[in-house]
Amino acid sequence: MRKIAVVKMKNLHEKLKKEDYKKVKFKITKTQHLLIKAKINGVKGNFILDTGASNSCVGFESIGHFILEAKKSKTKASGAGATGMLTQTSSSNKLQLGNWKNSNFDLIIFDLSHVNEALNHYKVKPVHGIIGADILMKGKGIIDYYNHCLYLKK
């Protein structure tokens, strides 16, 4: 049975490659989070790939790191055990995940300390932010858990 699954996954990779999908590797942490590397405005960072997050975001402490132009926002953020958090926004950024690129990428900026505290509790390195469903939808994302990769359409 296992050989059949592997053959099908290879076929999936070849089919998606022909359909102009880009393959992006991720790791699975001890906490079962999907950890993915990305560049925002040409600067590298570590992110959680989160299908349950409606928008991609970074922490306030990463504004300078990613050269973001932050603007005030009236929207309150919630998730991962926290609600009513103040936010800022940053628009027209450049995002790169592997060879997949988006040159008009908007971000939510809010306090991610509660996320990194939880990761630290399990001795997992902190993240700069979260890649959410907005990017997965924009790139028609397909997650291959078996082979630890994300496919995004050009």
Side-chain angles (χ1 to χ4, degrees), residues 45-95:
N46 294 315
F47 293 81
I48 291 174
L49 179 61
D50 187 350
T51 61
S54 55
N55 295 91
S56 296
C57 58
V58 297
F60 286 125
E61 66 284 349
S62 294
I63 292 171
H65 180 75
F66 292 116
I67 317 161
L68 302 175
E69 286 188 36
K71 298 175 186 156
K72 292 181 181 178
S73 172
K74 291 181 181 178
T75 304
K76 303 273 188 196
S78 62
T83 59
M85 295 180 289
L86 297 174
T87 65
Q88 292 181 335
T89 60
S90 180
S91 54
S92 302
N93 297 290
K94 292 180 175 83
L95 172 68

Side-chain angles (χ1 to χ4, degrees), residues 1-8:
M1 275 280 225
R2 190 171 176 112
K3 285 183 182 179
I4 293 170
V6 171
V7 170
K8 286 182 180 179

Side-chain angles (χ1 to χ4, degrees), residues 1 8 50 58 81 113 120 122 135 139 141 145 147:
M1 275 280 225
K8 286 182 180 179
D50 187 350
V58 297
S113 62
N120 185 47
Y122 290 96
I135 293 305
Y145 288 94
N147 292 303

